[in-house]
């Protein structure tokens, strides 16, 4: 597929795309236990894909570089992303293997989720020949750390072209240390454990990111305040309280919304970063109030 035309804020998303099978259950079954789910959602998933869907829903033009393949289940993934307004460059289009499948159980009483997924283990993606075209068509690029070779090449190209780069640091992945020098903004989860950081204190993660060249950074932790740091300042951003129905994809939504709100800022300031974090947290909280990763986009 061709890169999207410019006009609206344009985001390029690089990373994992899965087929998510999400079941709402009363409890996670024990060994050998069978149960019937209350509800089911089947949709494209993965951090980069969900972030791209969020970006598009908020009015941006979203493009996704990923691996899906030509298996029938892959066609379902591509169709779902097309309905969501995401332009896809499938770098595994010739593969007949099924896409990575994420099996997700969401506990109805708490919104907590249990996930099993193959993630990006089945593919090693090289940058496409037209990478510079995709980069030139975007205002901002976001990476989830999956397909690391592709991420490193795209982030380097985006930095060289003067595009802002954003990292979704859901967890530490091999090669992250080589990606960070090309990252302008990193927002990591509390599960992100960089080498040499022995505690779960957000300040350790923020210090590590700063030492590796990331100017603007933050650490999210569910409904707790987001802790952030800039070149010579820092602070916290409150997360709006919400009656949680499902936490699946909340971080992906946060990053997609953050990328959208950063896309229009020519020069990033502390005030602009805080405003973008606050707006993104509001969208992520709204997404947690409904089951599945798409219902919030239909609710407004």
């Amino acid at each position: 597929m061709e890169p999207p035309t410019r006009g609206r804020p344009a985001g390029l998303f690089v990373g994992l795309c899965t087929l998510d099978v999400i079941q709402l259950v009363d409890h996670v079954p024990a060994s050998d236990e069978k149960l019937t789910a209350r509800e089911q959602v089947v949709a494209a998933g993965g951090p980069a894909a969900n972030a791209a869907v969020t970006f598009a829903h908020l009015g941006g033009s979203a493009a996704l570089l990923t691996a899906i393949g030509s298996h029938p289940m892959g066609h379902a993934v591509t169709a779902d992303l097309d309905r969501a307004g995401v332009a896809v460059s499938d770098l595994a289009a010739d593969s007949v293997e099924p896409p990575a499948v994420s099996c997700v159980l969401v506990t109805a009483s708490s919104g907590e989720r249990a996930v099993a997924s193959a993630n990006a283990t089945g593919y090693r993606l090289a940058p496409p020949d037209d990478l510079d075209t995709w980069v030139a068509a975007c205002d901002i690029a976001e990476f989830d750390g999956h397909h690391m070779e592709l991420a490193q090449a795209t982030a380097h190209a985006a930095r060289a072209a003067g595009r802002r780069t954003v990292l979704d640091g859901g967890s530490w992945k091999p090669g992250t240390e080589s990606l960070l020098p090309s990252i302008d903004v990193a927002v990591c989860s509390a599960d992100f454990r960089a080498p040499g950081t022995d505690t779960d204190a957000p300040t350790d993660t923020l210090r590590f990111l700063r030492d590796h060249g990331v100017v603007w950074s933050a650490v999210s932790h569910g409904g707790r305040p987001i802790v952030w740091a800039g070149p010579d300042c820092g602070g916290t951003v409150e997360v709006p309280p919400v009656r949680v129905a499902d936490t699946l994809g909340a971080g992906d939504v946060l990053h997609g919304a953050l990328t959208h709100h950063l896309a229009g800022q020519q020069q990033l300031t502390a005030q602009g970063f805080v405003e973008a974090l606050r707006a993104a947290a509001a969208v992520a909280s709204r997404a947690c109030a409904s089951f599945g990763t798409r219902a919030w986009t239909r609710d407004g």
Side-chain angles (χ1 to χ4, degrees), residues 135-223:
V135 169
C138 79
D139 300 303
I140 191 167
E142 192 256 24
F143 309 86
D144 64 12
H146 293 280
H147 302 304
M148 185 59 74
E149 182 179 342
L150 173 64
Q152 291 170 350
T154 308
H156 180 78
R159 174 65 68 84
R163 304 301 193 262
R164 184 168 290 141
T165 54
V166 180
L167 173 66
D168 173 355
S171 62
W172 179 268
K173 299 172 182 67
T176 300
E177 67 280 2
S178 299
L179 178 61
L180 291 178
S182 297
I183 295 298
D184 299 310
V185 178
V187 178
C188 301
S189 76
D191 295 328
F192 186 87
R193 292 288 185 278
T197 55
D198 298 327
T199 72
D200 59 359
T203 51
D204 288 347
T205 297
L206 297 175
R207 186 180 304 110
F208 178 91
L209 293 169
R210 182 194 62 203
D211 291 345
H212 285 75
V214 181
V215 176
W216 299 94
S217 58
V219 176
S220 64
H221 194 172

Side-chain angles (χ1 to χ4, degrees), residues 27-295:
H27 62 273
V28 176
S31 178
D32 289 330
E33 180 183 4
K34 295 181 179 180
L35 51 80
T36 300
R38 293 188 183 185
E39 294 183 53
Q40 172 180 285
V41 170
V42 179
N50 284 332
V53 169
T54 300
F55 191 95
H57 176 70
L58 294 176
S61 177
L64 175 66
L65 298 185
T66 190
I68 299 174
S70 60
H71 188 277
M73 289 196 297
H75 294 319
V77 171
T78 303
D80 183 62
L81 291 171
D82 182 66
R83 285 192 296 270
V86 177
V88 177
S89 177
D90 181 6
L91 303 183
D94 294 334
S95 174
V96 297
E97 296 298 318
V101 177
S102 290
C103 300
V104 186
L105 298 178
V106 177
T107 302
S109 61
S110 65
E112 295 175 334
R113 74 280 195 275
V115 183
S117 178
N119 288 334
T121 56
Y123 297 99
R124 181 177 179 181
L125 300 183
D129 293 337
D130 61 348
L131 178 62
D132 288 342
T133 302
W134 286 93
V135 169
C138 79
D139 300 303
I140 191 167
E142 192 256 24
F143 309 86
D144 64 12
H146 293 280
H147 302 304
M148 185 59 74
E149 182 179 342
L150 173 64
Q152 291 170 350
T154 308
H156 180 78
R159 174 65 68 84
R163 304 301 193 262
R164 184 168 290 141
T165 54
V166 180
L167 173 66
D168 173 355
S171 62
W172 179 268
K173 299 172 182 67
T176 300
E177 67 280 2
S178 299
L179 178 61
L180 291 178
S182 297
I183 295 298
D184 299 310
V185 178
V187 178
C188 301
S189 76
D191 295 328
F192 186 87
R193 292 288 185 278
T197 55
D198 298 327
T199 72
D200 59 359
T203 51
D204 288 347
T205 297
L206 297 175
R207 186 180 304 110
F208 178 91
L209 293 169
R210 182 194 62 203
D211 291 345
H212 285 75
V214 181
V215 176
W216 299 94
S217 58
V219 176
S220 64
H221 194 172
R224 301 181 188 180
I226 298 171
V227 184
W228 68 272
D232 53 8
C233 52
T236 60
V237 171
E238 294 294 324
V239 174
V242 66
R243 184 178 180 86
V244 175
D246 185 359
T247 59
L248 180 68
D252 310 340
V253 172
L254 176 75
H255 284 86
L258 177 69
T259 301
H260 183 266
H261 287 286
L262 291 176
Q265 299 189 32
Q266 295 296 320
Q267 187 70 32
L268 192 54
T269 64
Q271 180 179 351
F273 188 45
V274 168
E275 289 176 352
L277 285 171
R278 184 175 293 117
V283 176
S285 289
R286 190 166 81 245
C288 289
S290 55
F291 170 63
T293 53
R294 294 287 189 272

